[in-house]
Amino acid sequence: MNIVLLGAPGAGKGTQASMIEEKFSLVHISTGDIFRANIKGGTPIGKIAKGYIDAGKLVPDEVTCKIVENRLGEEDVKGGFMLDGFPRNIFQAEQLDKFAKIDVCVNIDVDIDLLMDRICGRRVCACGESYHVSTLNGETKCKKCGGTLYRRDDDNPETVQKRLDTYFKETAPVADYYKKQGKLFTVKSGKGSPKEVFAVIAEKLKEY
Ligand code: ADP
Ligand code: ZN
């Protein structure tokens, strides 16, 4: 089973991704994580990506598509993968169809007014876990691995606003792209806990 996870910044893609990864043994591929690792490692890709990410813009398609195509060519994804953060515009979705077969697009739909607070209150761990300050009670370490939690550089109000603008302009239309292919599954997130949202997604993914 090959899936695409879609949703605005702050929709809870990362949280759902780690639960899906565990239950369905899919290889989790997050383009955001790949870029952040490249920035940390000071690679040429990292140098290109940083300016775009700090500005809340998309990294150019030719860079991003190549990374994903290469990654999907590796052996470990043969048993199924989950893309998180890709495709982020129609062009990327079209390119993806040329080098992979997608079974379903899980679209996490969240009320816009929840997003700003969710992202600005987000604290992440290098292992991929993320938390919200409102439930951390001052805790500064990751529950899963003990790593020190931190706020992502692009999780500040100004950059978040730009990321949301980019999302509505470029990424939201990707849902329609998969709808036309009969592959879209939308789950409402917001009032429900991450576990409840996951239960709905898991029920759907059992079909594949
Ligand atoms: P979020 O979903 O919380 O906005 P991500 O970790 O998925 O964060 O992505 C962080 C940043 O990395 C994006 O704002 C963008 O600049 C860049 N990025 C990630 N995926 C892509 C992509 N598919 N195409 C272009 N840029 C991307
Ligand atoms: Zn951790």
Side-chain angles (χ1 to χ4, degrees):
M1 167 169 72
N2 300 332
I3 75 176
V4 163
L5 261 185
L6 195 65
K13 286 194 300 292
T15 307
Q16 294 303 324
S18 67
M19 290 192 268
I20 295 170
E21 182 182 14
E22 213 168 291
K23 174 143 180 143
F24 294 92
S25 314
L26 298 174
V27 176
H28 177 197
I29 302 169
S30 156
T31 43
D33 286 350
I34 293 172
F35 287 133
R36 282 184 288 277
N38 275 277
I39 291 172
K40 210 171 166 196
T43 71
I45 285 173
K47 293 205 171 88
I48 298 171
K50 186 167 174 24
Y52 293 96
I53 292 179
D54 289 346
K57 293 184 183 156
L58 297 185
V59 178
D61 290 334
E62 55 275 24
V63 177
T64 311
C65 291
K66 202 73 222 155
I67 288 175
V68 176
E69 184 174 2
N70 289 342
R71 183 66 186 87
L72 294 185
E74 284 173 37
E75 218 29 60
D76 64 329
V77 305
K78 298 284 186 279
F81 61 81
M82 165 175 51
L83 286 171
D84 164 5
F86 187 94
R88 242 180 166 91
N89 60 28
I90 298 288
F91 179 79
Q92 293 181 3
E94 288 168 352
Q95 294 306 303
L96 178 61
D97 276 339
K98 292 179 186 167
F99 53 75
K101 191 190 151 292
I102 300 303
D103 297 299
V104 59
C105 169
V106 175
N107 180 31
I108 305 176
D109 186 20
V110 158
D111 287 338
I112 314 165
D113 24 312
L114 290 176
L115 297 174
M116 186 57 91
D117 170 67
R118 279 205 190 177
I119 308 172
C120 294
R122 172 161 72 182
R123 296 296 178 267
V124 298
C125 174
C127 79
E129 281 299 295
S130 64
Y131 302 85
H132 192 275
V133 279
S134 63
T135 58
L136 277 171
N137 299 318
E139 184 53 70
T140 58
K141 304 282 184 206
C142 173
K143 289 188 186 83
K144 205 169 165 187
C145 78
T148 301
L149 302 177
Y150 59 95
R151 176 159 142 173
R152 261 167 54 178
D153 284 345
D154 60 346
D155 281 355
N156 64 80
E158 199 189 327
T159 309
V160 170
Q161 190 54 56
K162 290 185 187 131
R163 282 158 63 202
L164 291 174
D165 293 344
T166 302
Y167 171 79
F168 287 109
K169 208 167 110 218
E170 305 191 45
T171 310
V174 172
D176 263 334
Y177 179 90
Y178 286 108
K179 191 173 182 189
K180 282 183 194 136
Q181 297 187 350
K183 293 177 181 168
L184 186 70
F185 177 69
T186 297
V187 53
K188 259 279 179 203
S189 160
K191 284 170 234 100
S193 70
K195 273 192 183 142
E196 288 169 294
V197 175
F198 175 66
V200 177
I201 295 175
E203 198 52 39
K204 176 71 186 177
L205 294 183
K206 278 184 201 147
E207 291 173 19
Y208 294 88

